[in-house]
Structure formats: structure tokens, C-alpha cells
Amino acid sequence: MSFEIEKVTDQLSYEVPQTEAAIDQALVSVSNLMSTLVQARLNTGVPAMTGQVAIRRLASAQKALVDASSDVLRVHGELKKIGTEHCIGDLHECPPAQASAKDAAILSIVA
């Protein structure tokens, strides 16, 4: 394998999982904000319609992050296929997601 291919492979093997983790962290942040907004509405006793526009927009942002996560996972799968086709996919296994146990618990609540 050429040095250039090895260099790019190493860079992708670092950047792809980092991107996946960054999207997951953004999803956790948006989900926490959603929880805070709804809890604030409940705690203050304001009418249910208060803040509904903000909540709907945040839900849209949350869905966009889920869609982005799906697309990046598809990219990961495509890159893995390319690596296999060009005999570079067996260099190492894909690293695990970088989410902490706390993040995983939050994500399971959101799902």
C-alpha cells in the first residue's frame, strides 16, 4: 500500500468516528435543551402553548441531527466498502463510538 493511501486511511479512521461522536454530542445537547424547555414550561405553570414555536423548531433541529447521523453512518459504511474493495479495509476494525455511559443513558431516553 502506498504511503499516501496509508496516510489517508489513518486520517479517515480518526476523523469518521470523531464526526460520529460530535454529532451524538450535539444530539445530547439539543435533547437536554428540549428537556429544559419543556420542564421550564411545566415548572412555571405557563399555558401549554407558551414556547411551542421554540419547541417545534428545536424538534426540527433534533431531527436534522438524527438525519445527519444517519448520513454519516452511511458514509462510514461506504468508506468501509471502498477499503474492502481496494484491500485496505482489513487494516483495523472500526473504533467504537466515543460516547460515555452518561451519554448512552441520555440517548436511550431520547430514543
Side-chain angles (χ1 to χ4, degrees):
M1 173 171 40
S2 77
F3 174 74
E4 192 60 35
I5 291 174
E6 187 175 341
K7 182 179 162 185
V8 170
T9 301
D10 288 346
Q11 186 174 359
L12 288 170
S13 68
Y14 173 78
E15 288 183 13
V16 170
Q18 291 298 316
T19 300
E20 291 167 345
I23 293 171
D24 281 348
Q25 187 57 53
L27 187 55
V28 168
S29 295
V30 168
S31 298
N32 287 339
L33 179 56
M34 176 69 80
S35 177
T36 300
L37 287 174
V38 175
Q39 194 63 53
R41 187 165 65 182
L42 288 170
N43 291 347
T44 59
V46 297
M49 63 185 264
T50 302
Q52 190 65 16
V53 171
I55 290 170
R56 287 181 56 100
R57 287 187 178 147
L58 194 56
S60 178
Q62 191 175 42
K63 183 183 180 318
L65 286 168
V66 171
D67 291 344
S69 177
S70 295
D71 287 340
V72 170
L73 289 171
R74 286 185 190 102
V75 166
H76 192 156
E78 288 298 317
L79 291 173
K80 191 170 182 177
K81 275 196 258 182
I82 291 168
T84 301
E85 290 170 4
H86 294 277
C87 301
I88 57 175
D90 60 349
L91 294 176
H92 45 74
E93 291 297 312
C94 294
Q98 300 298 315
S100 68
K102 178 184 172 196
D103 293 342
I106 292 169
L107 288 174
S108 68
I109 292 168
V110 173

